[in-house]
Amino acid sequence: RFICATRNNMSERYSFSLTTFSPSGKLVQIEYALNAVRGGNTSIGIKAQDGVVVATEKKMPSILVDETSLNKVVKLTDTIGMVYSGMGPDSRVLTAKGRKLAQQYYRVHQEPIPTIQLVRKLASVMQEYTQRGGVRPFGVSLLVCGIDTTGKPALFQVDPSGSYFAWKASAIGKNMVNAKTFLEKRFSEDLELEDAIHTAILTLKEGFEGQMTQNNIEIGIVDEAQGFRRLQPAEVKDYLASVAM
């Protein structure tokens, strides 16, 4: 009992420090940030041959809240967008930072920032908040999608630690384990964008509580023809109807 109590006291001692490693080599605050992500609404990203789709649950805390006042799928540039799971206020900071970084790149190079470059810059911002005193890690994970001048689509996941990976399909949030299992069964390399949208909706439905409508989910798509855009509620309603058939 004494040994267990000593270990618990040691873990608690390090859990309040962001800049101090625990004896096991962990930064415990980052794990707590990941817990905040796991408590957030589920978000999905799927890369198709001709574009990328991101989708997320958008559940309001009350029926009195105007759902049009909140957007979880946001545009960073004309060809890059993202969705988040976790703490909404933290995502707004990263959204503003991402847009500013993209404009700085354009001002210097006179061309749109490639998706991978913006992802690296956002990941660097998030990593900085894991090694400075007086701050805390961002309580969000991001799914960033884009399409570059070559026409090649890309999907990246960025975590609170600042790590990032390219994905063919991914899920974050409270139902990510079941969603990833579903995606592993349904994903194929030759998916078209329309099929990817249907797959994203079906994946969200796996762990969705209540009736899915155009007002409690959001979908964003990026392709070479139109760049990134968030689908209007009427468009989402049509996709939901086609999936239900």
Side-chain angles (χ1 to χ4, degrees):
R1 291 181 180 176
F2 176 76
I3 293 174
C4 290
T6 302
R7 286 176 177 171
N8 288 336
N9 289 336
M10 287 185 68
S11 64
E12 289 176 4
R13 187 193 315 167
Y14 292 99
S15 67
F16 293 103
S17 173
L18 172 61
T19 57
T20 305
F21 284 96
S22 70
S24 61
K26 296 179 179 178
L27 292 172
V28 186
Q29 285 295 315
I30 293 178
E31 295 189 5
Y32 293 165
L34 287 169
N35 287 339
V37 174
R38 295 187 189 104
N41 291 331
T42 308
S43 299
I44 309 292
I46 302 174
K47 183 174 74 169
Q49 283 189 327
D50 52 344
V52 186
V53 56
V54 290
T56 185
E57 299 176 7
K58 189 178 78 169
K59 297 198 174 169
M60 299 293 109
S62 167
I63 59 172
L64 301 178
V65 176
D66 180 3
E67 64 271 2
T68 62
S69 65
L70 172 67
N71 294 118
K72 293 186 64 183
V73 173
V74 295
K75 176 189 281 192
L76 298 178
T77 73
D78 288 340
T79 56
I80 303 174
M82 76 175 193
V83 66
Y84 74 91
S85 286
M87 301 178 65
D90 286 12
S91 77
R92 291 201 300 271
V93 174
L94 290 169
T95 298
K97 188 70 174 176
R99 288 169 175 167
K100 186 175 181 179
L101 289 167
Q103 288 301 311
Q104 289 173 343
Y105 183 96
Y106 183 82
R107 190 173 60 192
V108 173
H109 300 282
Q110 292 299 304
E111 63 180 23
I113 187 170
T115 308
I116 181 62
Q117 291 273 15
L118 186 54
V119 167
R120 283 176 183 158
K121 290 176 183 292
L122 284 173
S124 294
V125 171
M126 296 174 79
Q127 193 277 331
E128 284 178 15
Y129 279 69
T130 68
Q131 62 178 30
R132 285 169 43 199
V135 299
R136 62 162 175 81
F138 287 95
V140 290
S141 284
L142 311 175
L143 290 175
V144 183
C145 65
I147 198 157
D148 296 330
T149 53
T150 59
K152 185 178 180 181
L155 172 67
F156 294 89
Q157 178 178 326
V158 191
D159 289 325
S161 63
S163 61
Y164 63 93
F165 299 95
W167 289 78
K168 298 175 183 177
S170 186
I172 53 177
K174 62 185 176 184
N175 196 42
M176 66 177 185
V177 176
N178 292 334
K180 283 185 178 179
T181 301
F182 185 84
L183 286 170
E184 287 169 0
K185 296 176 182 176
R186 296 294 296 257
F187 180 80
S188 82
E189 298 280 356
D190 56 354
L191 266 181
E192 299 289 337
L193 186 57
E194 288 292 308
D195 296 328
I197 295 172
H198 292 146
T199 302
I201 292 172
L202 290 171
T203 307
L204 279 181
K205 271 192 172 183
E206 281 293 291
F208 200 86
E209 299 173 4
Q211 180 71 27
M212 184 182 285
T213 71
Q214 69 272 20
N215 296 321
N216 57 22
I217 69 167
E218 276 191 2
I219 299 174
I221 60 172
V222 61
D223 59 20
E224 194 171 11
Q226 293 184 290
F228 182 85
R229 66 188 183 95
R230 183 172 57 244
L231 297 186
Q232 296 299 315
E235 295 176 280
V236 176
K237 184 178 181 180
D238 291 339
Y239 278 113
L240 287 172
S242 64
V243 168
M245 290 175 62

